[in-house]
Amino acid sequence: MVSVFAHAPGPSRRPREDLRRRLTAAILGGYLLASAWSVGIAMAWSAAAPGDSLRAADGVLIGAMSALVVCVLAVLWSFAAPSVRHAWAGLFAPAVILALLSILVAP
Amino acid sequence: MRPGLRQAMADLHRWAGLGPGWLLFAVFLTGSLSYFRPEISMWTRPEICAAEVVDQTAALRSAQAFLERNAEGASRWLIELPTPRLPLTQVMVWQPGGPGPHYRHELLDPRAGTVVQARPTFGGDFFFYFHFDLHMPWRLGRFLVGFAAMAMLVALLTGIVVHRRLFADFFTFRPHKGPRSWLDAHNVFGVLALPYHLMIAYSGLVILMMLYLPWGADRLFAAQPALFLAEAGQSIVPPPDPGPAAGQSDLAPLLTEADRRWPGEAPGRVDVYWPGRAASRIVVTLGDDQRLTHAGERLVFDGAGAPLPAEPGQVRSAPARLERVLYGLHLGRFGGWPVRVLFFFSGLAGAAMVGTGLILWTAKGHAGRLAETLNLAVIGGLPIAVATFFWANRLLPTGLAGRAILEGGCFFAGWSLAAVHAVLRRDAVAWRTQFAGVATLFITLALLDGVLTGRGLSSGDRLFAGFDLAFLAAGCGFALLARSCRARRGGA
């Protein structure tokens, strides 16, 4: 019986509190990182040719389309990280770096 | 892979699938129906007998005449030209302000340019808008559906990780084995259309991504949001000042230019910003029927009909084209009937994947009473709601005030009744009752539709015969499901 369901989702072995914190990190941290990513990529892309509205629009599209993938990866990371602290660190640190990048390259 | 990681992905698969699972089921089912949006719109208006497609130039001319008579002072006209799937002209009018309604939508006879006399209904638009908007205010539905789509992407990826014997399981089905059978069915439906599921979830998110992630556009186009849409190839920048009255030029000759530019392909729509004013802009957009890109080609003209090739609004870059391609992929209008049917059944496979996953969870005894009730209310209740909508379309008096809204109300009333039934009874008998109810609704609709409209199976009308056959097939499918519930109860 165990072998049949070994590869299917079973009852969680994680403490409920850990699960709740990881879900919070996945939803809030994932959105935070995706938002920072979308802005950072858009700003960096448009910074190569300031004043070019076509390039700026391309940056916005690339940033948003790739941010959706980043959000998925962030959610996966939230559950794959060894601890909730690691999960938040892995989400928050790149978000801060991207936010700083978007401020630095702002026109 | 370390066992801890697999268990972590299993946890995530469960919560990403269970949380928004009921919503995803509804989105998949109504989204699948939306592949036949024009056909449903025609079926729900049986008074219209438009068998042949009228020449687009004649249709545009008659629509312009109608708009000049009935939409003076509008800020925008949008004319959707007739197609073989919906051989009617649709006109939409936006008024700049004042006491009257700001938006109007009419279906026109493409020959006469008069409003078609048919029962008021939202037709296929009801399911189309429900599948991403849920008919909720303040764009709340779009946010919920976006959250569900993101959760689905996560559930799909973690599902691949968790089900390590993915392709071996695809060929395994162990009937009458309780949770094992649901697991096998869940795997089959998940793997069967896995590329479609990944594509439809991601492209759905891309279509609404500027609602979820507007921050980049806010930073770079805060002063000119319309310029972003124009540079992204999604619309033009409408002139802010309409200028003095100048008389509207004839729109029909612009189709000749469109034909020269896109030989063998038909334009889909004509937009007129500030019609009859000096600053007017006319946009002719290529139809979606033959290209993967959605609204990927545009011709822009000034009010006098002179081309403006340098006007922003064209798809000019790879990222913009990619976004348009993903949009076109999601809509599935590019490949004719084969693609539409393939996408329809893939969408149903998605609903079945979600439904079997939800039932698997309750069958394994891990879910509470609420989950069991929701399973029945959504998996059994939503098909009842869909059938109720179609029945309401046939039974509500055609002259009833607010009839179109009442049709939608019947959809939700049918669903609510099923939900109340699910609250009262959650056992196999309740499942059998709801599936038998759906089967009865669809089979009787197929049999009686000809009596109600005179356009049933025997009339030779392909559209109506197709719907009757589809209703019969759906009814028989649900009857088999009801029978299987009875068999299981007998076995138990």
Side-chain angles (χ1 to χ4, degrees), chain B residues 448-465:
Chain B
L448 294 178
D449 189 36
V451 178
L452 294 168
T453 63
R455 295 175 70 181
L457 266 172
S458 57
S459 69
D461 189 314
R462 285 171 61 187
L463 177 78
F464 279 66

Side-chain angles (χ1 to χ4, degrees), chain B residues 132-147:
Chain B
F132 66 90
D133 191 70
L134 307 176
H135 298 305
M136 282 181 158
W138 310 305
R139 296 183 172 182
L140 180 62
R142 297 179 191 212
F143 284 106
L144 288 174
V145 171
F147 179 78

Side-chain angles (χ1 to χ4, degrees), chain A residues 17-68:
Chain A
E17 186 61 21
D18 181 73
L19 196 68
R20 193 182 62 75
R21 286 180 181 173
R22 284 182 192 267
L23 276 174
T24 307
I27 295 169
L28 296 183
Y31 186 70
L32 176 76
L33 178 58
S35 299
W37 176 277
S38 69
V39 177
I41 296 297
M43 302 298 286
W45 196 267
S46 64
D52 182 345
S53 59
L54 178 62
R55 194 171 173 89
D58 281 352
V60 172
L61 289 175
I62 292 168
M65 282 191 282
S66 56
L68 296 172

Side-chain angles (χ1 to χ4, degrees), chain A residues 3 6-8, chain B residues 1 6 159-169:
Chain A
S3 63
H7 55 286
Chain B
M1 186 184 298
R6 193 180 298 280
I160 294 168
V161 175
V162 168
H163 298 288
R164 61 189 132 182
R165 296 190 303 136
L166 199 68
F167 289 96
D169 286 349

Side-chain angles (χ1 to χ4, degrees), chain B residues 41-316:
Chain B
S41 292
M42 290 299 288
W43 184 88
T44 48
R45 294 177 176 93
E47 298 83 2
I48 301 171
C49 294
E52 58 185 272
V53 182
V54 175
D55 170 52
Q56 286 200 321
T57 307
L60 182 56
R61 202 162 269 144
S62 66
Q64 181 175 0
F66 171 85
L67 289 166
E68 285 175 346
R69 283 195 310 270
N70 297 287
E72 204 181 342
S75 59
R76 184 184 170 195
W77 298 342
L78 170 55
I79 304 165
E80 297 258 11
L81 296 166
T83 65
R85 296 179 65 198
L86 188 66
L88 300 169
T89 310
Q90 293 186 78
V91 292
M92 283 142 263
V93 176
W94 285 264
Q95 297 289 351
H102 291 261
Y103 171 78
R104 233 175 99 197
H105 173 261
E106 300 284 4
L107 279 173
L108 302 184
D109 180 330
R111 290 179 195 280
T114 52
V115 176
V116 293
Q117 298 302 312
R119 61 191 66 196
T121 176
F122 291 120
D125 293 354
F126 181 82
F127 298 113
F128 176 74
Y129 285 102
F130 180 87
H131 101 276
F132 66 90
D133 191 70
L134 307 176
H135 298 305
M136 282 181 158
W138 310 305
R139 296 183 172 182
L140 180 62
R142 297 179 191 212
F143 284 106
L144 288 174
V145 171
F147 179 78
M150 179 57 71
M152 183 181 150
L153 266 183
V154 171
L156 286 170
L157 294 174
T158 51
I160 294 168
V161 175
V162 168
H163 298 288
R164 61 189 132 182
R165 296 190 303 136
L166 199 68
F167 289 96
D169 286 349
F170 180 70
F171 297 101
T172 306
F173 184 66
R174 291 157 288 190
H176 312 301
K177 298 282 186 192
R180 274 183 247 189
S181 304
W182 289 114
L183 176 65
D184 291 342
H186 181 64
N187 288 339
V188 166
F189 288 122
V191 177
L192 187 68
L194 183 59
Y196 169 85
H197 296 148
L198 288 166
M199 176 278 289
I200 210 74
Y202 181 67
S203 58
L205 284 165
V206 166
I207 290 171
L208 292 175
M209 66 184 175
M210 298 321 296
L211 181 66
Y212 309 135
L213 296 164
W215 319 119
D218 281 357
R219 283 292 301 273
L220 289 166
F221 293 92
Q224 299 170 286
L227 180 61
F228 165 68
L229 295 176
E231 292 292 18
Q234 296 174 16
S235 72
I236 67 160
V237 182
D241 178 15
Q248 182 58 51
S249 63
D250 189 7
L251 298 174
L254 305 183
L255 294 188
T256 310
E257 173 64 13
D259 191 43
R260 192 188 64 75
R261 178 78 176 268
W262 307 312
E265 294 181 88
R269 55 197 269 183
V270 176
D271 277 280
V272 185
Y273 294 90
W274 297 116
R277 311 299 290 259
S280 179
R281 289 285 182 277
I282 305 163
V283 183
V284 180
T285 307
L286 184 62
D288 285 345
D289 292 351
Q290 294 177 40
R291 293 201 185 187
L292 200 55
T293 46
H294 169 64
E297 298 284 342
R298 281 190 192 85
L299 294 174
V300 186
F301 303 89
D302 67 11
L308 299 170
E311 187 88 353
Q314 313 287 347
V315 177
R316 294 189 291 164

